[in-house]
Amino acid sequence: LVLSAVARGGPLHGFAILRWIEKASHGELLIEEGALYPALHQMEADGWLVSEWAVSEKGRRAKYYDITAAGEKALRQKSKEWTRYIDAVRHVATADPAEE
Amino acid sequence: MMRRGLRRAPRAVPDSEGDVRDEIAHHIRETFDLLVAEGWDEDAALAEAERRFGSRDGTVERLVRFQRGRRRRAAPIEWLRSVAADLRFAIRQLRRNPSFTGSVVVTLALAGGAATAVFAVVDAVLLRPLPYRDADRLVELQLAPFDFPALDPVRYRMWREAGGSILEDWMAFYSLRLTRTDGAVAEPVDVVAVTPGTGEALGLTLLLGRWFDADDGRAGSTDVVILTRAYFDRLGADASLVGRTIRLESGPATVVGVLRDDVRVPDFGPRGDLWIPIRDDLTAAGLEIMALQSVWARIPRGSSLIGARDAVDRIAASLDPAAAPEGGWAIDLVRLEDRSTRFAAPLVADTMGTTNRSLALLSGTVAAILLIAVMNGLNLGGMRTISRSRELGIRASLGASKRRLLRQLAAEGAILGALAGALSAVVAWLSLSGLVRLIPEDVELYTPFALGLERRTASFAVLVSLFAGLTISAMPAVGVLAGGRLRPIPSTAERPRASIVRRALVVAQLGLSLLLVVGSILFASSFVRLNREDPGFDHRRLAVVDLALSPARYPGPPDWGAFRTRFEEALEAHPAVADAAVSSFTTIVRDRALQTEGAAARGGQPALFPSRTVTADYLAVAGVRLLSGRSFAPEDVGRDVAIVDRDLSLFLWGTDDALGRRFRVGDGRWREVVGVVSDLRILGRDQREGPHQALYPMGSACCPNLTVLVRSRTEPGDILPVIREVLRAVDPEQPIQRLETAADTLAEPEQTARLLAILMSLLAALGMATAAVGTFGVLAYSVRRREREIGVRKALGAEPSRLVRMVLREGFLLCSLGLAGGAAAMMLLGDAATPLLYEIDPRTLTFSVAAAAVLIVVVTAASLLPARRAATVDPVEVLRAE
């Protein structure tokens, strides 16, 4: 989720990532704010994200995250897993036991 | 704003705690902004923002912990990565300046290579621990007052029995030469007789077979031999040799073992083909041993050398009082590791003392060259700093830390050093293999190690070069540390202090070069002088043959005398031979009791007192000049008379007439001087400390070891096959120990002098070349820096010749300062070199003047190119560049 935000939205700081997800999910998905940063830092350590301190449009110093090639690969992998999972859930939800 | 380009430059450094707090604070601030924009009042907005975020401190703490762990894990990798980056950058820098890199690497490699080669020798001869088991506890037993010959076997046995509790692992050895016959071939073999157990006690290893055991040492058992690896290879390296029988003149002997190739025990003699056991009845290969060559033993673990010495002294007082000389027996225990010459038997100790001195001298010389090379590199590096201070300044202003810049400079130094190190290992390898060939066979370096490039030597090369490389990069580093000067745009004028440092370096280089050049001149002229020295006899058309009569076939004095007469007569009967005379081998006494009759012995004793017994016609055949008195007559045989050389006469009686006076040596017989001859150099020309030689008349019963002088009618080289032929006719089985012309015999000790002269000249040339590069560099740089000034002068009408003179003057100034410094150092160091020189005072002005002349020529040559450049500066060009 975070990865796709960064992948689509370009270099973003933490708050913007949160906003992006909120907007993209039409307010359906809300990530706990306190949990976002540990996740970001972990992904950075894993080499999925890179970061740089820069000055935001509001003139504030902020840490911007961007996705790396490794991150994109992980993103593709994760979305594939998610799609499979969602498909599976959907199949279960709509399955007709009689077909078994 | 941020661009995607960010992806290419991953942030390597983990966040600090401050970063983490900032990041969270930024988040809360954004939330706050959002809330305020949504219409919250500020206090409520702040509280809501904090609430939405959750536990702020907890998160911060979690993140900080996480980042700290990351930093710990990443540190080594990050470090390696940045070092790699530094190295890459350094390589780029060095490749951009091929002339700088090349000259530094080459000079360092040459100097380092020379240093390594010398280190290899010093290490093998002096430094490396002896390759024997528990070598630190091994001692040599030296018998006083006569330390040559060491110990006779009977006394050895007494000592061994009495001292068995004080010392363990007793070993004795004795080297001799036997003839091995194999069908038609009779070849001399070098044999080492050792007490059984010697090999094991030394911790040596066998390639094949077994060591001598107790049975081999029992009297009357079958003869057995152990082959050295070299001899085993010479016999075809056939493993089935073990168990087979070879024929020695003493009879058949069974091969029981083969030593491994790395076994070298130089005390046993330089070559050593075979080992045979010394039997319990103190015979070896059927021969009675008259004197052991050396006795070694080991101090038991836990005992001290001093304690063992005391105990041995107590035994000395109680043993064998009847045969004891005045003052009683004394035994000295000398640790093998402590012997000033680790492997020299007492006889050669003096020669080896010179070896140690030569090694010290060579070490000093290569250290000087290394110093020159490093100063040269510093100088070149320092010049580069000026141009580089701009680059460094730019990088510093772009945010590179001082530490980072220093690391990059160190990386450059390390690369320079590593390159030079690899090259210098090659240089060392080449010069060592050259050196080994230069060293004449007779100049045996007393070391159990083969000279060559192995791990110790190679790591020395690399370490020295790395150190030198890093030192060279230190000059710009000092600039970095001084900090303030790192401006992106440096002033064009050079800082005066740096230029003084640079000139001082050149002066020092020139001074050191002067020392080296003087040294090489001294050694060369010492060699020439030695060559001209009158040996005291007529060595032209003279051949020398040494024979050691086989004890098996010539067991006693009558046989020796008979052989001698037959051989001498057969020689004189040959048409190519003018005359022949016989003497014994030289006996050398290191005697502390050389006395004259009726007078107290003069203070000080000669280091060596060589003497030999000679036949009556010896003086005539050898062409020795008689100064006063007479030559020996046949009726002198058996009488206590002597002929002394002028050195001995001067030593004993000063300028008084020596004829009719009497003196005595160790054996206590008073001998009357009947003749004085010119100085004899029978041990070679280099006998400065007074050879003090004496000749005694040869009795008819003398001796198992003969030196026969043969005066030929033809060229001396042609007589050698004749002598061989005559000997074959007299006794076909008698091996020859040495057969050469007297001129060659004389040349032997000169080999060392020549070797030293050659080495010193090569090293001096190397040092001087490096100093010349330094001078050239400084002058060239100074001309470039002053191009504008020179251009202006030219535009104002200065003659090109004046400009040339201006540059040359600068060169001469450097040169004369260097010469002054060098001359001062020479005065201080002169004494150290004196013992190595043959009757030459190192402070002789001529040599210094000659060396200075050489140096002036070299410096002038090095200044010419920059001077010409100054003369050809185009004023228009220079001024346009302004």
Side-chain angles (χ1 to χ4, degrees):
Chain A
L1 224 53
V2 174
L3 283 175
S4 62
V6 179
R8 310 260 165 75
L12 294 171
H13 50 69
F15 182 78
I17 292 170
L18 219 54
R19 295 277 297 161
W20 193 91
I21 294 171
E22 214 176 300
K23 241 187 263 169
S25 65
H26 306 289
E28 293 292 329
L29 287 173
L30 280 175
I31 291 183
E32 194 195 326
E33 295 183 12
L36 171 68
Y37 286 94
L40 281 173
H41 283 211
Q42 180 62 55
M43 283 189 259
E44 188 186 1
D46 289 346
W48 294 355
L49 293 178
V50 288
S51 67
E52 188 166 62
W53 288 90
V55 177
S56 73
E57 58 267 50
K58 288 182 187 153
R60 292 192 189 116
R61 201 170 94 88
K63 191 179 174 190
Y64 281 86
Y65 293 89
D66 200 352
I67 195 162
T68 64
E72 272 167 1
K73 200 168 148 199
L75 174 60
R76 275 196 299 277
Q77 180 74 25
K78 283 269 186 257
S79 12
K80 226 183 283 168
E81 278 170 26
W82 269 102
T83 319
R84 253 211 331 266
Y85 177 67
I86 292 166
D87 280 355
V89 172
R90 194 162 41 85
H91 279 139
V92 172
T94 60
D96 183 351
E99 282 176 25
E100 288 285 310
Chain B
M1 250 296 299
M2 296 297 305
R3 291 132 302 271
R4 291 255 160 185
L6 193 63
R7 291 177 186 203
R8 298 263 141 248
R11 257 173 51 92
V13 193
D15 294 350
S16 67
E17 185 175 344
D19 284 340
V20 171
R21 286 192 184 283
D22 281 359
E23 187 175 15
I24 307 274
H26 175 259
H27 183 98
I28 290 169
R29 183 70 207 261
E30 290 281 332
T31 315
F32 168 81
D33 282 356
L34 189 75
L35 291 172
V36 170
E38 282 173 4
W40 294 59
D41 80 68
E42 292 194 356
D43 286 349
L46 195 59
E48 174 65 10
E50 292 276 5
R51 193 195 60 76
R52 280 196 195 175
F53 189 83
S55 161
R56 178 172 175 169
D57 288 344
T59 308
V60 167
E61 197 186 314
R62 210 172 130 197
L63 288 177
V64 166
R65 229 181 5 244
F66 176 74
Q67 292 291 359
R68 205 177 287 145
R70 222 185 118 196
R71 201 165 8 225
R72 246 196 327 269
R73 280 191 301 278
I77 300 164
E78 275 312 312
W79 186 81
L80 277 182
R81 193 177 290 163
S82 70
V83 164
D86 284 344
L87 289 177
R88 270 198 305 277
F89 182 78
I91 291 173
R92 255 204 323 275
Q93 284 288 333
L94 292 173
R95 275 171 61 175
R96 276 224 302 262
N97 289 286
S99 58
F100 166 77
T101 310
S103 61
V104 169
V105 167
V106 167
T107 48
L108 274 189
L110 286 175
T116 306
V118 170
F119 171 78
V121 178
V122 173
D123 184 47
V125 175
L126 296 175
L127 303 179
R128 215 178 311 181
L130 298 176
Y132 312 134
R133 181 167 60 79
D134 296 326
D136 54 326
R137 293 194 283 123
L138 283 176
V139 289
E140 177 169 357
L141 277 79
Q142 296 183 350
L143 186 60
F146 302 107
D147 47 8
F148 189 84
L151 263 181
D152 64 69
V154 178
R155 218 160 273 129
Y156 166 72
R157 195 152 55 176
M158 288 167 59
W159 281 98
R160 187 176 173 158
E161 275 156 19
S165 57
I166 303 161
L167 297 170
E168 57 191 28
D169 292 340
W170 286 69
M171 297 163 253
F173 44 91
Y174 171 70
S175 62
L176 65 160
R177 200 170 251 217
L178 295 174
T179 314
R180 188 179 79 88
T181 45
D182 177 14
V185 193
E187 65 161 352
V189 285
D190 286 326
V191 176
V192 185
V194 299
T195 45
T198 297
E200 299 97 308
L202 288 179
L204 306 179
T205 48
L206 286 173
L207 180 73
L208 292 169
R210 62 168 178 89
W211 291 110
F212 299 133
D213 56 26
D215 281 341
D216 297 328
R218 210 154 285 147
S221 57
T222 355
D223 281 342
V224 288
V225 299
I226 289 176
L227 306 180
T228 60
R229 177 61 190 273
Y231 197 62
F232 173 68
D233 288 345
R234 214 148 13 109
L235 293 182
D238 180 359
S240 70
L241 272 169
V242 176
R244 290 232 292 264
T245 300
I246 60 168
R247 284 199 64 83
L248 298 174
E249 60 188 84
S250 49
T254 312
V255 177
V256 295
V258 177
L259 288 164
R260 244 181 54 188
D261 51 348
D262 52 357
V263 170
R264 288 185 61 177
V265 187
D267 283 87
F268 292 5
R271 207 159 68 134
D273 298 320
L274 304 174
W275 284 22
I276 60 174
I278 295 181
R279 295 250 164 78
D280 296 340
D281 60 357
L282 304 170
T283 60
L287 314 173
E288 194 182 337
I289 296 171
M290 302 307 290
L292 291 164
Q293 186 184 320
S294 279
V295 176
W296 289 358
R298 188 175 271 120
I299 299 173
R301 209 177 286 282
S303 304
S304 72
L305 178 62
I306 296 169
R309 270 194 186 134
D310 286 348
V312 165
D313 268 346
R314 275 196 300 279
I315 297 178
S318 66
L319 265 186
D320 200 13
E326 252 175 274
W329 293 110
I331 285 247
D332 199 10
L333 298 184
V334 181
R335 265 164 41 102
L336 292 194
E337 301 269 5
D338 291 345
R339 291 188 301 185
S340 65
T341 64
R342 292 199 313 194
F343 300 98
L347 167 63
V348 277
D350 294 288
T351 339
M352 290 299 118
T354 350
T355 304
N356 291 357
R357 239 170 220 289
S358 315
L359 288 179
L361 175 94
L362 284 176
S363 310
T365 308
V366 291
I369 291 176
L370 213 53
L371 209 58
I372 293 182
V374 168
M375 289 195 284
N376 199 40
L378 267 178
N379 225 333
L380 293 172
M383 272 176 230
R384 236 159 52 95
T385 328
I386 308 301
S387 50
R388 290 202 60 194
S389 67
R390 180 163 173 193
E391 168 223 324
L392 292 174
I394 289 173
R395 290 191 16 231
S397 64
L398 284 179
S401 70
K402 265 186 195 176
R403 233 175 95 185
R404 176 94 192 173
L405 291 180
L406 283 182
R407 245 177 39 188
Q408 270 166 11
L409 290 170
E412 272 177 42
I415 286 180
L416 280 177
L419 281 175
L423 253 177
S424 68
V426 175
V427 171
W429 181 71
L430 287 175
S431 41
L432 273 175
S433 45
L435 195 68
V436 168
R437 239 172 295 134
L438 265 181
I439 296 175
E441 252 175 71
D442 295 330
V443 180
E444 177 74 15
L445 281 172
Y446 277 81
T447 167
F449 304 102
L451 281 186
L453 195 67
E454 33 65 76
R455 214 171 49 205
R456 271 171 79 103
T457 327
S459 29
F460 176 85
V462 171
L463 279 180
V464 160
S465 304
L466 264 184
F467 179 72
L470 288 175
T471 314
I472 286 172
S473 70
M475 186 96 152
V478 169
V480 169
L481 284 176
R485 300 216 196 82
L486 288 179
R487 291 170 306 251
I489 303 161
S491 55
T492 44
E494 194 189 1
R495 292 189 309 280
R497 206 160 52 132
S499 106
I500 288 171
V501 169
R502 183 152 319 128
R503 284 178 169 73
L505 283 173
V506 168
V507 166
Q509 285 183 52
L510 290 172
L512 281 172
S513 307
L514 179 75
L515 279 183
L516 295 181
V517 175
V518 170
S520 67
I521 292 179
L522 282 175
F523 284 102
S525 51
S526 162
F527 171 63
V528 168
R529 182 177 286 219
L530 189 56
N531 236 343
R532 281 204 211 112
E533 187 66 45
D534 177 8
F537 64 93
D538 182 7
H539 62 277
R540 289 161 299 170
R541 297 192 173 189
L542 196 62
V544 183
V545 53
D546 282 351
L547 299 173
L549 296 182
S550 149
R553 277 172 304 112
Y554 299 96
D559 310 301
W560 305 336
F563 172 84
R564 200 181 80 207
T565 320
R566 256 193 304 152
F567 186 42
E568 207 177 334
E569 281 168 1
L571 278 172
E572 281 166 358
H574 197 280
V577 176
D579 212 348
V582 180
S583 77
S584 64
F585 280 4
T586 304
T587 308
I588 295 173
V589 182
R590 292 159 60 78
D591 195 38
R592 286 149 211 162
L594 183 59
Q595 288 177 346
T596 55
E597 196 177 29
R602 215 183 101 144
Q605 291 287 329
L608 297 177
F609 179 69
S611 64
R612 47 173 58 182
T613 64
V614 300
T615 49
D617 54 351
Y618 181 86
L619 291 187
V621 174
V624 175
R625 278 181 300 283
L626 195 61
L627 299 178
S628 63
R630 60 175 176 86
S631 184
F632 288 133
E635 56 273 18
D636 286 327
V637 170
R639 289 175 53 203
D640 286 336
V641 291
I643 291 176
V644 298
D645 73 349
R646 195 175 42 190
D647 276 325
L648 183 59
S649 162
L650 280 173
F651 180 81
L652 292 177
W653 299 285
T655 49
D656 294 352
D657 188 8
L659 291 182
R661 307 249 186 174
R662 304 212 299 169
F663 70 98
R664 83 174 164 182
V665 210
D667 60 1
R669 277 155 69 184
W670 289 104
R671 296 174 195 271
E672 185 189 333
V673 176
V674 297
V676 178
V677 294
S678 55
D679 292 348
L680 283 178
R681 312 276 168 172
I682 49 179
L683 289 182
R685 286 190 170 113
D686 184 10
Q687 298 285 319
R688 252 163 310 162
E689 278 152 34
H692 311 300
Q693 290 172 96
L695 303 174
Y696 308 133
M698 180 183 279
S700 56
C702 186
C703 0
N705 297 320
L706 303 176
T707 297
V708 183
L709 295 182
V710 182
R711 170 84 47 201
S712 71
R713 293 183 203 282
T714 56
E715 283 307 303
D718 300 340
I719 199 73
L720 301 182
V722 170
I723 296 172
R724 214 170 274 132
E725 183 192 314
V726 170
L727 178 66
R728 212 172 301 135
V730 173
D731 179 355
E733 283 183 43
Q734 175 59 46
I736 294 174
Q737 291 220 302
R738 178 177 68 135
L739 174 60
E740 60 191 9
T741 64
D744 288 342
T745 310
L746 278 176
E748 272 164 24
E750 286 157 25
Q751 308 272 24
T752 322
R754 178 161 57 204
L755 187 67
L756 214 51
I758 292 174
L759 283 180
M760 283 299 290
S761 309
L762 286 177
L763 292 175
L766 179 61
M768 206 163 56
T770 316
V773 171
T775 316
F776 169 78
V778 165
L779 293 179
Y781 184 77
S782 137
V783 167
R784 208 173 65 200
R785 192 170 50 82
R786 288 162 66 188
E787 256 177 4
R788 195 171 149 255
E789 175 209 331
I790 293 170
V792 171
R793 278 174 189 241
K794 227 173 172 184
L796 293 176
E799 291 285 316
S801 64
R802 244 188 89 161
L803 296 171
V804 169
R805 272 208 302 280
M806 188 180 79
V807 176
L808 287 184
R809 201 160 47 228
E810 195 181 336
F812 276 126
L813 183 68
L814 293 175
C815 189
S816 33
L817 284 175
L819 291 184
M826 210 159 51
M827 290 299 147
L828 292 174
L829 291 175
D831 280 338
T834 312
L836 287 172
L837 297 169
Y838 187 72
E839 288 171 3
I840 282 182
D841 181 3
R843 296 196 184 81
T844 312
L845 200 61
T846 341
F847 298 120
S848 318
V849 170
V854 171
L855 216 58
I856 288 170
V857 169
V858 169
V859 171
T860 314
S863 325
L864 274 179
L865 214 63
R868 256 195 54 193
R869 197 188 140 91
T872 53
V873 163
D874 183 350
V876 182
E877 198 65 30
V878 173
L879 294 177
R880 193 194 291 145
E882 252 324 88

